[in-house]
């Protein structure tokens, strides 16, 4: 876990040294061990390092090639760097360190942008090639590592960094909220578009690289998930999954510092833990809420079975509400997935013992683990009726009062492109329009946003379409963003062995019924896990990382905290506050469960207060 910042072609009479230091200071949590700066007439780079591999000064960045014509800043880990290093040495390249960073630099010298095809790992980086006067930036296959950029500047300069907050420190950035981001956020619960909540600041898409030269930007893809089923037996794929994941975990545990793992009661983190066999595991749960809100006992039981030391923390509502502004500050953009809150405390707990943690993110998206992917028995029966019958019934149901039956009939007559936008769906779009002020209603529709993704897999089956949408929107926008931001907030590095391009290649070959069938989700993965885990862990239903906000918001103390925010001048800028209070009061009086509506708006207001007031 490191962080970098930079800018190019600044024409303002600014103090470059002070500016880059101000930018670096905002991300010191990403790299508390050392910092470095490079600056010439064209570009200025800043870097903060968290030492993981080769704990010596030679591994510091910015890093230079032999003649210092190419300069690198890099965040991430390249897991096959040792093989690549040996190959580059044979080709005549001279190394001054044993870091994976230097492999990217010499790899660029040797292969140009095609070095991206050889990398196996997670990364975001920038290379300044002074001979070509070109900057080369890239972001990894899945979007594990963040990379933001902007030209929304008073002097048309180019600014980039690992976190948005560092860009805000540059005096030429014209700070303004992106009004178009709010409406989609209310439905998706995260910033879903390429342009962020800050006007003109964009995310470089996962699996893409950028070439910047003299004010001009060229962006190209270099990788994409390609689902292409191959008919092989379940036993064949089980053996391949075991072999490939063992190799991935072996790569992901390479480190010169202590490594542990996050552990819940689910199969994903449990399987990774069993393959890693670390000295320590880490778990969190919620006070006064056993069962799905507190799986720490399950984590402790598995740790005992595997003879691993388990550390756990029980958190309460007061702690969560108190830390929410800090959490949203580290997020950079509003993100209302409730699991971000316990993840913050989990990373804090782990940081007291280790510098690197492995986690189970990504298994659901690539192996087919979400409940959305598995039709209910009732829906499977209903879908046996011709679509020509179900379609008109669906349209009629949309106009009737909302209840379980009308919702079922509406969904049963829709195409997957109409009903599935990803794992998160908070506000219905019509409710978002109703609660927003006029200035915030003009953003793209939800279906316009998802259509761009669906169009790339229009020839695939429904399961594959849903997985692809989650890989492109939900995974980088929500799951990986909170994993990166919450771990970096506590100066630890989080690694995700499921999100390895070789694992993805294998998962993309699985027949649909080995991903999801009537019996289970992640069928092939669970079958493989049974050889390393007790069956009850391998087959345990997915519960995610649930948070008891629905109960907290029915307590007077937290009701009043949210009420004060909903009736504030800040809320009045964006929302019809009478509508907000209706949701809050109906929930408090247990007339309806509006917890997610309330929390999503509340989180946005906390974020806005943190960054704009």
């Amino acid at each position: 876990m490191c962080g970098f910042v930079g800018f190019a072609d600044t024409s303002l009479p600014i103090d470059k040294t002070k500016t880059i230091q101000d930018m670096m200071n905002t991300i010191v949590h990403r790299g508390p061990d050392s910092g470095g700066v490079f600056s010439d007439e064209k570009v200025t780079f800043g870097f903060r390092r968290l030492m993981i591999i080769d704990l010596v000064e030679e591994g510091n960045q910015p890093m230079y090639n032999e003649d210092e014509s190419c300069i690198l800043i890099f965040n991430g880990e390249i897991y096959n760097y040792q093989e690549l290093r040996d190959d580059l040495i044979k080709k005549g390249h001279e190394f001054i360190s044993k870091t994976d960073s230097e492999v990217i630099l010499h790899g660029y010298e040797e292969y140009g942008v095609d070095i991206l095809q050889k990398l196996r790992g997670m990364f975001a980086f920038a290379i300044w090639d002074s001979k070509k006067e070109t900057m080369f930036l890239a972001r990894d296959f899945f979007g594990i590592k963040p990379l933001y950029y902007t030209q929304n500047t008073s002097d048309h300069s180019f600014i980039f960094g690992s976190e948005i907050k560092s860009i805000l420190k540059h005096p030429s950035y014209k700070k303004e909220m992106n009004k178009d981001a709010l409406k989609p956020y209310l439905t998706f619960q995260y910033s879903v578009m390429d342009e962020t909540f800050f006007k003109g600041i964009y995310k470089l898409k996962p699996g893409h690289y950028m070439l910047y030269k003299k004010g001009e930007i060229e962006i190209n893809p270099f990788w994409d998930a390609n689902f292409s089923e191959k008919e092989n037996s379940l036993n064949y794929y089980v053996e391949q999954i075991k072999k490939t994941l063992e190799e991935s975990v072996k790569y992901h545990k390479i480190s010169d510092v202590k490594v542990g793992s996050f552990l819940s009661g689910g199969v994903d983190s449990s399987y990774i833990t069993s393959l890693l066999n670390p000295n320590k595991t880490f778990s969190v749960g919620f006070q006064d809420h056993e069962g799905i809100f507190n799986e720490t006992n399950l984590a402790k039981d598995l740790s005992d079975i595997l003879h691993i030391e388990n550390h756990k923390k029980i958190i309460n509502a007061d702690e969560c509400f108190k830390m929410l502004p800090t959490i949203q500050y580290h997020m950079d953009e509003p993100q209302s997935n409730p699991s971000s809150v316990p993840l913050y405390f989990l990373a804090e707990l782990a940081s007291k013992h280790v510098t690197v943690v492995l986690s189970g993110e990504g298994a659901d998206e690539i192996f087919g683990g979400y409940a959305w992917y598995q039709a209910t028995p009732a829906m499977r029966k209903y879908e046996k009726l011709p679509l020509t019958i179900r379609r008109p019934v669906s349209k009629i149901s949309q106009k009737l009062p909302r209840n379980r039956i009308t919702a079922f009939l509406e969904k049963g007559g829709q195409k997957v492109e109409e009903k599935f936008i990803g794992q998160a769906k908070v506000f219905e779009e019509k409710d978002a329009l109703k609660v927003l002020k006029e200035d915030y209603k003009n953003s793209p529709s939800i279906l316009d946003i998802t259509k761009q993704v669906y169009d790339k897999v229009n020839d695939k089956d429904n399961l594959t379409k849903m997985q692809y949408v989650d890989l492109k929107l939900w995974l980088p926008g929500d799951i990986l963003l909170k994993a990166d931001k919450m771990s970096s907030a506590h100066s630890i590095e989080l690694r995700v062995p499921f999100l390895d391009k070789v694992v993805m290649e294998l998962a993309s070959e699985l027949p649909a019924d080995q991903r999801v069938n009537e019996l289970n989700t992640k069928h092939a993965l669970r079958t493989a896990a049974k050889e390393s885990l007790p069956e009850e862990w391998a087959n345990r239903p997915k519960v995610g990382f649930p948070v008891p906000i629905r109960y907290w918001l029915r307590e007077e103390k937290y009701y009043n905290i949210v009420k004060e925010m909903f009736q504030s001048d800040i809320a009045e800028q964006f929302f019809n506050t009478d509508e907000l209070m209706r949701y809050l009061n109906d929930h408090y009086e247990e007339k309806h469960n509006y917890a997610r509506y309330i929390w999503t708006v509340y989180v946005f207001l906390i974020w806005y207060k943190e960054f704009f007031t």
Side-chain angles (χ1 to χ4, degrees):
M1 181 69 65
C2 300
F4 58 74
V5 296
F7 51 90
D9 298 322
T10 294
S11 60
L12 288 180
I14 65 172
D15 184 335
K16 289 185 178 182
T17 301
K18 181 181 184 305
T19 298
I20 200 68
Q21 287 295 342
D22 287 345
M23 294 172 73
M24 289 166 63
N25 287 342
T26 65
I27 58 167
V28 69
H29 51 277
R30 298 188 74 93
D33 295 328
S34 69
V37 172
F38 165 82
S39 188
D40 67 10
E41 292 181 358
K42 299 288 185 180
V43 305
T44 300
F45 281 179
F47 181 77
R48 295 297 320 184
R49 184 184 184 195
L50 178 68
M51 293 184 177
I52 303 289
I53 293 174
D54 197 17
L55 312 181
V56 294
E57 288 188 7
E58 284 78 7
N60 289 343
Q61 298 180 39
M63 186 171 281
Y64 306 82
N65 66 338
E66 295 93 334
D67 64 1
E68 298 191 355
S69 63
C70 290
I71 300 93
L72 166 81
I73 44 178
F74 157 65
N75 169 31
E77 302 291 342
I78 305 303
Y79 299 117
N80 62 335
Y81 78 97
Q82 292 168 333
E83 300 99 293
L84 294 174
R85 186 176 187 272
D86 291 343
D87 175 64
L88 289 164
I89 289 173
K90 290 176 184 177
K91 287 179 166 60
H93 294 269
E94 296 178 8
F95 284 75
I96 62 168
S97 75
K98 295 180 181 179
T99 63
D100 53 345
S101 312
E102 200 173 0
V103 166
I104 298 175
L105 188 57
H106 291 298
Y108 169 73
E109 284 186 284
E110 184 69 30
Y111 302 109
V113 298
D114 289 339
I115 182 58
L116 294 169
Q117 304 301 329
K118 297 180 179 294
L119 301 179
R120 183 175 181 180
M122 56 181 185
F123 54 85
F125 64 77
I127 295 175
W128 170 240
D129 187 331
S130 61
K131 291 179 178 177
K132 296 181 179 179
E133 294 191 346
T134 299
M135 196 187 311
F136 168 41
L137 303 97
R139 190 176 178 204
D140 65 60
F141 317 99
F142 300 97
I144 303 169
K145 291 296 165 192
L147 180 49
Y148 302 95
Y149 67 94
T150 188
Q151 288 182 299
N152 183 28
T153 52
S154 55
D155 60 351
H156 305 293
S157 58
F158 176 75
I159 313 171
F160 65 96
S162 298
E163 297 191 8
I164 293 173
K165 62 181 69 66
S166 65
I167 294 175
L168 305 183
K169 290 293 183 179
H170 196 288
S172 73
Y173 172 67
K174 298 184 289 188
K175 185 179 176 183
E176 180 185 353
M177 184 182 138
N178 174 19
K179 293 181 178 181
D180 291 343
L182 181 54
K183 182 171 73 72
Y185 158 79
L186 293 180
T187 294
F188 285 95
Q189 82 178 9
Y190 57 91
S191 175
V192 70
M193 299 188 295
D194 293 339
E195 187 176 15
T196 69
F197 264 82
F198 294 87
K199 191 72 175 175
I201 296 181
Y202 292 84
K203 309 162 218 171
L204 183 60
K205 287 183 179 181
H208 284 65
Y209 71 89
M210 173 195 294
L211 298 175
Y212 172 86
K213 184 170 185 175
K214 296 180 180 179
E216 297 298 318
I217 285 176
E218 177 188 333
I219 297 176
N220 295 296
F222 67 86
W223 182 88
D224 198 4
N226 180 24
F227 286 91
S228 183
E229 294 185 18
K230 294 183 180 179
E231 286 300 328
N232 284 298
S233 69
L234 177 62
N235 287 339
Y236 169 83
Y237 278 119
V238 165
E239 292 303 313
Q240 291 301 308
I241 288 170
K242 286 159 51 182
K243 175 184 173 183
T244 307
L245 279 176
E246 285 171 7
E247 180 186 70
S248 181
V249 170
K250 181 186 75 173
Y251 274 126
H252 280 72
K253 71 180 181 182
I254 295 172
S255 171
D256 292 328
V257 295
K258 293 180 180 178
V259 180
S261 68
F262 288 164
L263 180 60
S264 67
V267 63
D268 304 336
S269 63
S270 298
Y271 195 14
I272 294 300
T273 298
S274 70
L275 294 175
L276 175 64
N277 194 27
N279 291 322
K280 297 180 180 183
T281 60
F282 307 96
S283 314
V284 296
F286 290 95
Q287 183 177 303
D288 303 323
H289 292 278
E290 293 300 324
I292 65 169
F293 297 116
N294 184 4
E295 292 189 319
T296 56
N297 290 335
L298 293 174
K300 176 67 165 63
D301 290 345
L302 181 61
S303 296
D304 288 344
I305 291 170
L306 299 174
H307 307 291
I308 300 170
E309 182 182 325
N310 175 252
H311 294 262
K312 69 176 181 178
K313 177 179 174 60
I314 303 301
I315 51 183
N316 58 45
D318 280 347
E319 290 176 289
C320 294
F321 274 85
K322 179 182 177 181
M323 294 310 299
L324 195 57
T326 300
I327 289 169
Q328 289 306 307
Y329 170 78
H330 281 289
M331 284 291 183
D332 277 337
E333 299 185 81
Q335 205 261 25
S336 73
N337 188 331
S339 66
S340 301
V341 177
L343 185 55
Y344 176 87
F345 291 99
L346 181 59
E348 181 183 47
L349 172 64
S351 70
K352 297 173 182 177
H353 302 271
V354 299
T355 308
V356 173
V357 288
L358 270 59
S359 191
E361 280 86 352
D364 292 311
E365 290 79 6
I366 68 173
F367 284 107
Y370 290 117
W372 268 98
Y373 301 161
Q374 185 183 41
T376 64
M379 185 60 75
R380 285 197 295 271
K381 289 181 180 178
Y382 184 59
E383 287 179 344
K384 291 180 180 178
L385 290 174
L387 185 61
T388 52
I389 295 175
R390 290 182 280 119
R391 193 76 172 163
V393 171
S394 174
K395 292 182 178 180
I396 293 170
S397 299
Q398 292 176 25
K399 300 175 183 178
L400 298 175
R402 196 76 177 171
N403 56 49
R404 287 185 178 181
I405 295 174
T406 55
F408 174 87
L409 294 173
E410 178 184 347
K411 184 178 175 182
Q414 291 176 324
K415 297 177 181 178
V416 68
E417 292 86 348
E418 298 171 301
K419 61 188 175 185
F420 184 77
I421 67 164
Q423 292 307 314
K425 186 176 183 181
V426 183
F427 273 79
E428 293 290 341
E429 193 162 19
K430 64 179 185 298
D431 290 342
L433 289 168
K434 190 174 180 181
V435 80
L436 284 167
K437 292 289 183 70
E438 286 300 321
D439 283 352
Y440 301 92
K441 293 182 178 181
N442 297 321
S443 55
S445 73
I446 302 307
L447 293 184
D448 284 342
I449 293 170
T450 57
K451 184 179 185 302
Q452 298 174 44
V453 184
Y454 275 117
D455 283 350
K456 295 180 180 179
V457 286
N458 57 17
D459 60 336
K460 302 295 184 182
D461 60 272
N462 285 348
L463 171 60
T464 299
K465 288 179 179 180
M466 288 189 284
Q467 287 182 257
Y468 190 78
V469 166
D470 279 337
L471 277 165
K472 293 298 175 180
L473 299 180
W474 162 255
L475 186 66
D478 188 301
I479 296 295
L480 294 177
L481 180 132
K482 66 184 174 65
D484 174 84
K485 298 298 176 68
M486 295 300 90
S487 57
S488 67
H490 298 288
S491 303
I492 63 173
E493 178 169 277
L494 188 147
R495 299 178 178 179
V496 282
F498 284 113
L499 294 177
D500 170 80
K501 70 176 184 179
V502 178
V503 177
M504 180 72 240
E505 287 167 7
L506 173 62
S508 66
E509 296 178 3
L510 288 172
D513 64 353
Q514 293 185 28
R515 286 175 269 157
V516 178
N517 54 40
E518 294 182 10
L519 300 175
N520 219 333
T521 57
K522 285 184 298 204
H523 182 60
L525 178 66
R526 291 180 188 276
T527 306
K530 287 179 183 178
E531 294 196 22
S532 300
L533 297 172
E535 187 163 341
E536 61 182 296
W537 269 271
N539 286 329
R540 182 167 285 117
K542 182 176 181 61
V543 297
F545 208 157
V547 181
I549 55 172
R550 129 177 55 157
Y551 303 105
W552 294 344
L553 293 172
R554 285 174 176 156
E555 295 181 34
E556 184 176 6
K557 177 178 181 178
Y558 308 113
Y559 163 82
N560 284 328
I561 289 173
V562 176
K563 178 182 177 181
E564 182 179 2
M565 184 63 86
F566 278 11
Q567 294 180 332
S568 68
D569 291 342
I570 296 175
E572 186 70 31
Q573 293 179 57
F574 306 99
F575 301 103
N576 297 315
T577 53
D578 289 344
E579 190 73 3
L580 292 184
M581 287 306 302
R582 181 180 70 81
Y583 288 135
L584 182 61
N585 288 327
D586 282 358
H587 182 85
Y588 182 65
E589 296 165 8
E590 301 189 31
K591 295 178 181 178
H592 202 287
N593 179 12
Y594 284 124
R596 296 305 311 283
Y597 275 30
I598 295 163
W599 187 256
T600 297
V601 172
Y602 181 65
V603 163
F604 165 77
L605 295 171
I606 290 290
W607 168 83
Y608 185 83
K609 187 176 181 181
E610 196 68 25
F611 280 95
F612 282 93
T613 59

